[in-house]
Amino acid sequence: MYPSYLDAYNNGTLAKSTDKAFDLLGSCSICPRKCSVNRLENEIGFCKTGLKPRVCSYMAHHGEEPPISGSKGSGTIFFSYCNMSCAYCQNYEFSQQEEGREVDFNELAGFMIELQNLGCHNINLVTPTHVMPQILKALQIAVSKGLNIPLVYNTGGYEFPEMIKLLDGIVDIYLPDMRYADPETAAKLSMATDYPKYNRSSVKEMHRQVGIAKINDKDIIERGLIIRHLVLPNNLSGTEKTMKFIAQEISKDSFISLMSQYTPYYKAREFKEINRRITVKEYKVAQEIMEECGLYNGWTQDSGGHERFAGVNIKPIIREDN
């Protein structure tokens, strides 16, 4: 059945994954922070979130990659707080500060149903890592009420691969960042020294589950992996190392969203190396690296939005040599 979580709901896999994830909240170890607080009793760790998820907003979002937003929008739920602490976060008002409010599982399920009723192509879970068990609980409720559009797991990429494994057969579309290739940079800018290690292993697991992005004849993604890479000033994002990893250990057919939108928000002014926008040359170099690595599927970005590499509209083009 499609989406995959319908089978998971019917055969009990969704319930089992939910129970396993909830058990880990008792001494929280659902992400690499391993705070070990009892979130079932509302104890607070790095992500500042107890038992109930906190939501900033939900909407039909038209600004994602073309096959995610489509013509009717992506049903996006923005969760407050985060398991990262990026100095330059553009969403800092709700990722790092207190914007948003707590919701219970029934209300969260209701958001999903409402977004589906608006005609959205999918349910886009933004910053889901620290509330993944709660999302699964709400998903069970939403399915019982008729939810039948796919999930987009839209993550900053600081994940445990063991937790991603719990989503096998539940999530159809993964949209992770691959933000850093260097542990020292990840530590300095996001307080996450081990980000490259866990990010790479988790993205590999995502690819194992859903494979290359599959885009239908209506130009909407149905299943698969899209990797986001935000180009940072002074090559702090480690583009060459990341693209080589994708090409060599995932697939040269991978779809990549190469983002130029970096803006020095939040605490970026405290770091001189990121206290500016990227240059045209820096972005061009990142594009050239992708091509040198044989990566041609995906989107580049400019002031007008996303554009397809070698593109003809948003048809699913495979590498030019095919």
Side-chain angles (χ1 to χ4, degrees):
M1 298 178 72
Y2 181 80
S4 296
Y5 60 70
L6 295 178
D7 272 337
Y9 178 82
N10 290 330
N11 65 28
T13 300
L14 177 56
K16 290 178 182 177
S17 290
T18 304
D19 290 344
K20 288 178 181 178
F22 256 82
D23 286 346
L24 296 172
L25 290 175
S27 178
C28 194
S29 57
I30 68 170
C31 88
R33 299 285 177 192
K34 295 184 182 178
C35 293
S36 299
V37 298
N38 186 353
R39 290 177 59 189
L40 297 175
E41 297 295 331
N42 273 323
E43 292 182 7
I44 302 299
F46 187 93
C47 71
K48 304 176 187 176
T49 305
L51 177 59
K52 290 183 179 180
R54 192 178 185 95
V55 172
C56 174
S57 62
Y58 66 102
M59 67 186 75
H61 186 20
H62 294 271
E64 302 285 41
E65 287 75 4
I68 293 175
S69 290
S71 60
K72 298 179 180 180
S74 177
T76 304
I77 302 173
F78 291 93
F79 291 97
S80 301
Y81 297 135
C82 183
N83 73 330
M84 297 182 70
S85 183
C86 299
Y88 50 86
C89 183
Q90 67 177 6
N91 296 325
Y92 67 92
E93 288 108 337
F94 61 87
S95 71
Q96 306 300 321
Q97 299 175 358
E98 296 185 1
E99 192 169 301
R101 65 176 178 84
E102 284 189 346
V103 299
D104 63 28
F105 307 137
N106 282 293
E107 188 172 12
L108 180 55
F111 296 164
M112 297 179 186
I113 296 296
E114 187 176 343
L115 291 166
Q116 176 173 277
N117 290 343
L118 288 174
C120 294
H121 300 288
N122 46 61
I123 299 297
N124 186 349
L125 306 163
V126 178
T127 320
T129 309
H130 61 300
V131 288
M132 187 264 270
Q134 294 91 329
I135 290 169
L136 294 180
K137 182 73 76 174
L139 179 63
Q140 292 186 74
I141 299 169
V143 174
S144 73
K145 294 182 177 182
L147 188 72
N148 61 7
I149 55 177
L151 300 182
V152 178
Y153 194 81
N154 185 344
T155 169
Y158 192 36
E159 302 276 357
F160 261 152
E162 292 82 1
M163 296 302 294
I164 298 300
K165 287 178 182 177
L166 290 181
L167 300 176
D168 193 2
I170 297 170
V171 170
D172 280 299
I173 303 161
Y174 284 106
L175 185 61
D177 289 328
M178 293 196 76
R179 195 162 294 182
Y180 308 110
D182 177 68
E184 289 72 25
T185 303
K188 184 174 184 178
L189 298 183
S190 296
M191 297 176 62
T193 305
D194 51 5
Y195 178 93
K197 169 187 172 183
Y198 287 114
N199 177 249
R200 290 182 173 194
S201 56
S202 293
V203 172
K204 286 182 74 172
E205 171 60 21
M206 295 173 190
H207 175 76
R208 184 195 69 78
Q209 291 179 23
V210 299
I212 303 300
K214 299 173 182 64
I215 300 173
N216 66 24
D217 58 7
K218 296 181 180 179
D219 299 324
I220 302 298
I221 184 170
E222 294 185 341
R223 183 175 172 83
L225 172 69
I226 296 174
I227 300 168
R228 284 176 166 170
H229 183 71
L230 177 66
V231 181
L232 295 175
N234 296 299
N235 193 33
L236 290 175
S237 45
T239 299
E240 183 172 2
K241 290 180 180 178
T242 295
M243 296 304 153
K244 284 184 176 179
F245 171 81
I246 294 169
Q248 295 172 6
E249 299 198 38
I250 299 181
S251 172
K252 287 186 177 181
D253 291 331
S254 297
F255 280 66
I256 299 166
S257 180
L258 188 70
M259 299 187 294
S260 65
Q261 68 196 47
Y262 174 76
T263 304
Y265 286 111
Y266 194 36
K267 298 179 179 180
R269 65 183 181 275
E270 299 175 14
F271 302 85
K272 63 180 182 180
E273 60 267 54
I274 60 169
N275 191 23
R276 63 171 176 83
R277 297 290 302 270
I278 65 168
T279 65
V280 172
K281 182 178 179 181
E282 284 173 322
Y283 191 69
K284 183 178 180 181
V285 168
Q287 289 180 275
E288 290 172 350
I289 288 170
M290 290 186 61
E291 293 175 5
E292 289 168 1
C293 290
L295 298 164
Y296 291 94
N297 280 339
W299 302 266
T300 54
Q301 191 180 55
D302 59 19
S303 59
H306 294 282
E307 295 182 351
R308 167 73 71 154
F309 297 142
V312 180
N313 298 319
I314 54 171
K315 298 298 181 184
I317 308 165
I318 306 302
R319 295 199 306 273
E320 291 179 329
D321 57 351
N322 281 3

PDB file of all heavy atoms in Angstrom, residues 33 83 100 125 160 185 204 214 223 250 252 269 291:
ATOM      1  N   ARG A  33      22.825  13.185  21.151  1.00  0.00           N
ATOM      2  CA  ARG A  33      23.078  13.916  22.401  1.00  0.00           C
ATOM      3  C   ARG A  33      23.054  12.994  23.606  1.00  0.00           C
ATOM      4  O   ARG A  33      23.758  13.223  24.584  1.00  0.00           O
ATOM      5  CB  ARG A  33      22.039  15.023  22.589  1.00  0.00           C
ATOM      6  CG  ARG A  33      22.027  16.088  21.505  1.00  0.00           C
ATOM      7  CD  ARG A  33      23.163  17.033  21.629  1.00  0.00           C
ATOM      8  NE  ARG A  33      23.171  18.014  20.531  1.00  0.00           N
ATOM      9  CZ  ARG A  33      24.188  18.811  20.265  1.00  0.00           C
ATOM     10  NH1 ARG A  33      25.293  18.768  20.991  1.00  0.00           N
ATOM     11  NH2 ARG A  33      24.132  19.655  19.249  1.00  0.00           N
ATOM     12  N   ASN A  83      17.674  19.501  18.091  1.00  0.00           N
ATOM     13  CA  ASN A  83      18.779  18.824  18.765  1.00  0.00           C
ATOM     14  C   ASN A  83      20.135  19.351  18.296  1.00  0.00           C
ATOM     15  O   ASN A  83      21.176  18.808  18.670  1.00  0.00           O
ATOM     16  CB  ASN A  83      18.699  17.308  18.584  1.00  0.00           C
ATOM     17  CG  ASN A  83      19.066  16.852  17.179  1.00  0.00           C
ATOM     18  OD1 ASN A  83      18.858  17.581  16.198  1.00  0.00           O
ATOM     19  ND2 ASN A  83      19.590  15.641  17.061  1.00  0.00           N
ATOM     20  N   GLY A 100       6.193  29.183  19.574  1.00  0.00           N
ATOM     21  CA  GLY A 100       5.415  27.960  19.414  1.00  0.00           C
ATOM     22  C   GLY A 100       4.724  27.579  20.712  1.00  0.00           C
ATOM     23  O   GLY A 100       4.849  28.249  21.734  1.00  0.00           O
ATOM     24  N   LEU A 125       7.553  17.089   7.821  1.00  0.00           N
ATOM     25  CA  LEU A 125       7.896  17.207   9.241  1.00  0.00           C
ATOM     26  C   LEU A 125       9.242  17.906   9.370  1.00  0.00           C
ATOM     27  O   LEU A 125      10.294  17.314   9.139  1.00  0.00           O
ATOM     28  CB  LEU A 125       7.949  15.813   9.865  1.00  0.00           C
ATOM     29  CG  LEU A 125       6.672  14.967   9.660  1.00  0.00           C
ATOM     30  CD1 LEU A 125       6.958  13.497   9.924  1.00  0.00           C
ATOM     31  CD2 LEU A 125       5.544  15.483  10.545  1.00  0.00           C
ATOM     32  N   PHE A 160      20.567   9.395  14.892  1.00  0.00           N
ATOM     33  CA  PHE A 160      21.073   8.052  15.144  1.00  0.00           C
ATOM     34  C   PHE A 160      20.577   7.141  14.024  1.00  0.00           C
ATOM     35  O   PHE A 160      19.362   7.071  13.793  1.00  0.00           O
ATOM     36  CB  PHE A 160      20.530   7.510  16.455  1.00  0.00           C
ATOM     37  CG  PHE A 160      21.453   7.618  17.624  1.00  0.00           C
ATOM     38  CD1 PHE A 160      20.939   7.715  18.903  1.00  0.00           C
ATOM     39  CD2 PHE A 160      22.837   7.598  17.471  1.00  0.00           C
ATOM     40  CE1 PHE A 160      21.770   7.809  19.998  1.00  0.00           C
ATOM     41  CE2 PHE A 160      23.674   7.688  18.555  1.00  0.00           C
ATOM     42  CZ  PHE A 160      23.135   7.794  19.822  1.00  0.00           C
ATOM     43  N   THR A 185      34.439  21.964  12.638  1.00  0.00           N
ATOM     44  CA  THR A 185      33.478  22.969  12.202  1.00  0.00           C
ATOM     45  C   THR A 185      32.101  22.691  12.789  1.00  0.00           C
ATOM     46  O   THR A 185      31.404  23.611  13.246  1.00  0.00           O
ATOM     47  CB  THR A 185      33.385  23.001  10.665  1.00  0.00           C
ATOM     48  OG1 THR A 185      34.678  23.245  10.125  1.00  0.00           O
ATOM     49  CG2 THR A 185      32.437  24.085  10.196  1.00  0.00           C
ATOM     50  N   LYS A 204      23.003   7.132   4.753  1.00  0.00           N
ATOM     51  CA  LYS A 204      23.148   5.839   4.087  1.00  0.00           C
ATOM     52  C   LYS A 204      21.962   4.930   4.412  1.00  0.00           C
ATOM     53  O   LYS A 204      21.451   4.217   3.533  1.00  0.00           O
ATOM     54  CB  LYS A 204      24.465   5.169   4.500  1.00  0.00           C
ATOM     55  CG  LYS A 204      25.698   5.788   3.874  1.00  0.00           C
ATOM     56  CD  LYS A 204      26.973   5.069   4.263  1.00  0.00           C
ATOM     57  CE  LYS A 204      27.115   3.748   3.566  1.00  0.00           C
ATOM     58  NZ  LYS A 204      28.455   3.127   3.802  1.00  0.00           N
ATOM     59  N   LYS A 214      11.955   9.046  -6.643  1.00  0.00           N
ATOM     60  CA  LYS A 214      11.063   8.635  -7.730  1.00  0.00           C
ATOM     61  C   LYS A 214      10.000   9.713  -7.902  1.00  0.00           C
ATOM     62  O   LYS A 214       9.196   9.948  -6.998  1.00  0.00           O
ATOM     63  CB  LYS A 214      10.428   7.280  -7.410  1.00  0.00           C
ATOM     64  CG  LYS A 214      11.455   6.160  -7.258  1.00  0.00           C
ATOM     65  CD  LYS A 214      10.818   4.884  -6.767  1.00  0.00           C
ATOM     66  CE  LYS A 214      11.866   3.786  -6.580  1.00  0.00           C
ATOM     67  NZ  LYS A 214      12.845   4.133  -5.510  1.00  0.00           N
ATOM     68  N   ARG A 223       8.528   8.798  -3.525  1.00  0.00           N
ATOM     69  CA  ARG A 223       9.364   8.034  -2.597  1.00  0.00           C
ATOM     70  C   ARG A 223      10.827   8.365  -2.911  1.00  0.00           C
ATOM     71  O   ARG A 223      11.178   8.694  -4.048  1.00  0.00           O
ATOM     72  CB  ARG A 223       9.118   6.531  -2.765  1.00  0.00           C
ATOM     73  CG  ARG A 223       9.884   5.628  -1.804  1.00  0.00           C
ATOM     74  CD  ARG A 223       9.435   4.179  -2.006  1.00  0.00           C
ATOM     75  NE  ARG A 223      10.248   3.228  -1.268  1.00  0.00           N
ATOM     76  CZ  ARG A 223      10.074   2.918   0.022  1.00  0.00           C
ATOM     77  NH1 ARG A 223       9.100   3.492   0.704  1.00  0.00           N
ATOM     78  NH2 ARG A 223      10.856   2.039   0.617  1.00  0.00           N
ATOM     79  N   ILE A 250      26.887   6.459  -1.654  1.00  0.00           N
ATOM     80  CA  ILE A 250      25.424   6.415  -1.785  1.00  0.00           C
ATOM     81  C   ILE A 250      25.095   6.108  -3.240  1.00  0.00           C
ATOM     82  O   ILE A 250      24.898   4.967  -3.595  1.00  0.00           O
ATOM     83  CB  ILE A 250      24.772   7.721  -1.281  1.00  0.00           C
ATOM     84  CG1 ILE A 250      25.114   7.896   0.219  1.00  0.00           C
ATOM     85  CG2 ILE A 250      23.256   7.655  -1.454  1.00  0.00           C
ATOM     86  CD1 ILE A 250      24.524   9.126   0.853  1.00  0.00           C
ATOM     87  N   LYS A 252      25.637   8.036  -7.494  1.00  0.00           N
ATOM     88  CA  LYS A 252      25.766   9.193  -8.373  1.00  0.00           C
ATOM     89  C   LYS A 252      24.417   9.636  -8.930  1.00  0.00           C
ATOM     90  O   LYS A 252      24.309  10.736  -9.484  1.00  0.00           O
ATOM     91  CB  LYS A 252      26.732   8.890  -9.518  1.00  0.00           C
ATOM     92  CG  LYS A 252      28.191   8.846  -9.081  1.00  0.00           C
ATOM     93  CD  LYS A 252      29.119   8.695 -10.265  1.00  0.00           C
ATOM     94  CE  LYS A 252      30.574   8.725  -9.812  1.00  0.00           C
ATOM     95  NZ  LYS A 252      31.513   8.604 -10.971  1.00  0.00           N
ATOM     96  N   ARG A 269      27.111  36.747  13.589  1.00  0.00           N
ATOM     97  CA  ARG A 269      28.016  37.902  13.683  1.00  0.00           C
ATOM     98  C   ARG A 269      29.147  37.679  14.681  1.00  0.00           C
ATOM     99  O   ARG A 269      30.151  38.404  14.677  1.00  0.00           O
ATOM    100  CB  ARG A 269      27.227  39.153  14.072  1.00  0.00           C
ATOM    101  CG  ARG A 269      26.605  39.101  15.448  1.00  0.00           C
ATOM    102  CD  ARG A 269      25.774  40.350  15.723  1.00  0.00           C
ATOM    103  NE  ARG A 269      25.172  40.333  17.051  1.00  0.00           N
ATOM    104  CZ  ARG A 269      24.021  39.740  17.337  1.00  0.00           C
ATOM    105  NH1 ARG A 269      23.349  39.122  16.374  1.00  0.00           N
ATOM    106  NH2 ARG A 269      23.530  39.767  18.561  1.00  0.00           N
ATOM    107  N   GLU A 291      29.564  18.507 -10.214  1.00  0.00           N
ATOM    108  CA  GLU A 291      29.698  17.966 -11.565  1.00  0.00           C
ATOM    109  C   GLU A 291      30.939  17.092 -11.697  1.00  0.00           C
ATOM    110  O   GLU A 291      30.903  16.052 -12.354  1.00  0.00           O
ATOM    111  CB  GLU A 291      29.716  19.112 -12.562  1.00  0.00           C
ATOM    112  CG  GLU A 291      28.386  19.862 -12.641  1.00  0.00           C
ATOM    113  CD  GLU A 291      28.449  21.067 -13.553  1.00  0.00           C
ATOM    114  OE1 GLU A 291      29.499  21.270 -14.192  1.00  0.00           O
ATOM    115  OE2 GLU A 291      27.456  21.810 -13.628  1.00  0.00           O
TER     116      GLU A 291
END
